[in-house]
Amino acid sequence: MSNYVNTDEIMDNMKYKKYYQLNAVEKDLLDNHDTDLNTCNKCDIVVDSANELYWQGDSLDTYHKCMQGYDALCDDCFVKENENESI
Ligand SMILES: [Zn+2]
């Protein structure tokens, strides 16, 4: 047996935590390794990059006006920002 670390298990554990709640191993994984996870720019929650984050686009079709100042927002924050924008 090797000292293989099960990153899938770590990633499952860190999902939906806020960035400041992560331990050193989890932060290292998120900051320095290619994972499917990313943090929301507004609330710092860790979510799935592809399915649970909105990404700011740089073309007219993909640019979200409500995301000004953010690169990535989780579903919840995006909905809130979008509501603020349309008032
Ligand atoms: Zn958020």
Side-chain angles (χ1 to χ4, degrees), residues 71-84:
D71 288 328
L73 287 179
C74 69
D75 288 348
D76 287 350
C77 289
F78 183 83
V79 169
K80 279 181 208 151
E81 291 298 309
N82 213 0
E83 279 170 1
N84 291 343

Side-chain angles (χ1 to χ4, degrees), residues 31 42-43 69 72:
D31 291 342
K42 192 171 182 223
C43 69

Side-chain angles (χ1 to χ4, degrees), residues 6-82:
N6 190 338
T7 49
D8 284 345
E9 204 171 293
I10 298 172
M11 288 205 289
D12 275 352
N13 265 321
M14 62 200 274
K15 233 180 149 185
Y16 304 122
K17 282 185 192 170
K18 305 263 180 166
Y19 185 80
Y20 73 88
Q21 295 175 310
L22 302 180
N23 63 36
V25 173
E26 292 168 338
K27 279 184 183 166
D28 178 65
L29 194 67
L30 193 65
D31 291 342
N32 303 315
H33 298 271
D34 201 13
T35 68
D36 294 333
L37 300 176
N38 235 303
T39 51
C40 170
N41 284 168
K42 192 171 182 223
C43 69
D44 267 351
I45 198 170
V46 178
V47 290
D48 189 286
S49 304
N51 300 316
E52 293 165 307
L53 275 182
Y54 283 86
W55 292 91
Q56 180 64 291
D58 48 17
S59 75
L60 220 60
D61 291 345
T62 56
Y63 183 80
H64 302 286
K65 197 164 174 255
C66 67
M67 284 186 68
Q68 254 171 351
Y70 301 112
D71 288 328
L73 287 179
C74 69
D75 288 348
D76 287 350
C77 289
F78 183 83
V79 169
K80 279 181 208 151
E81 291 298 309
N82 213 0

